[in-house]
Amino acid sequence: QVQLVESGGGSVQAGGSLRLSCTASGHNVRSNSSIVCMAWFRQAPGKEREGVAIIYTPSGKTYYGDSVKVRFTISQDNDKSTVHLQMNSLEPEDTAMYYCAAGPGNARSCPVFDYWGQGTQVAVSS
């Protein structure tokens, strides 16, 4: 079983920055092919869940949602069990619960996310 634990959420004024982290733990997590894709999703009240960023951990290839391109950066530690989301130039529209997720995939596709964290709240005030 894999556990994902997020940290780093909080409150910030518009234009500010936050860095979220997600650590995966469990049996053989570093060689677990079922979590080669790690991602951040977010969900604001009354809105559907939105994909923010994905990283394919074997190669470091990244994908971003259109609303966060340029402003957000997903990265991973060398051990590939911790990913980070650096969020710059935050806007009130970025206010949401942010969830870390992990699942199987390849360099071209991360089709499903089987493991989810509990979420960390981000609030951006104007």
Side-chain angles (χ1 to χ4, degrees):
Q1 188 67 295
V2 173
Q3 295 82 40
L4 301 176
V5 178
E6 304 102 333
S7 62
S11 298
V12 65
Q13 289 191 326
S17 299
L18 284 173
R19 187 183 194 223
L20 307 183
S21 296
C22 171
T23 298
S25 62
H27 183 61
N28 290 331
V29 65
R30 295 178 186 176
S31 59
N32 191 337
S33 62
S34 67
I35 58 167
V36 290
C37 294
M38 295 188 72
W40 290 95
F41 290 80
R42 68 185 182 186
Q43 188 165 21
K47 294 187 177 181
E48 293 187 354
R49 187 173 62 197
E50 174 188 13
V52 174
I54 299 172
I55 186 166
Y56 178 63
T57 58
S59 66
K61 188 173 179 60
T62 58
Y63 305 87
Y64 294 94
D66 289 340
S67 63
V68 305
K69 282 180 181 177
V70 178
R71 299 187 299 124
F72 290 11
T73 303
I74 189 170
S75 63
Q76 62 180 334
D77 286 354
N78 288 338
D79 65 3
K80 297 180 172 56
S81 63
T82 298
V83 296
H84 307 282
L85 184 69
Q86 179 65 43
M87 306 185 294
N88 298 329
S89 301
L90 282 161
E91 304 167 352
E93 293 73 22
D94 296 315
T95 295
M97 185 71 79
Y98 283 71
Y99 298 91
C100 178
N106 55 53
R108 292 185 300 275
S109 175
C110 293
V112 62
F113 292 91
D114 298 320
Y115 303 99
W116 292 82
Q118 293 299 307
T120 185
Q121 181 69 44
V122 171
V124 184
S125 58
S126 57

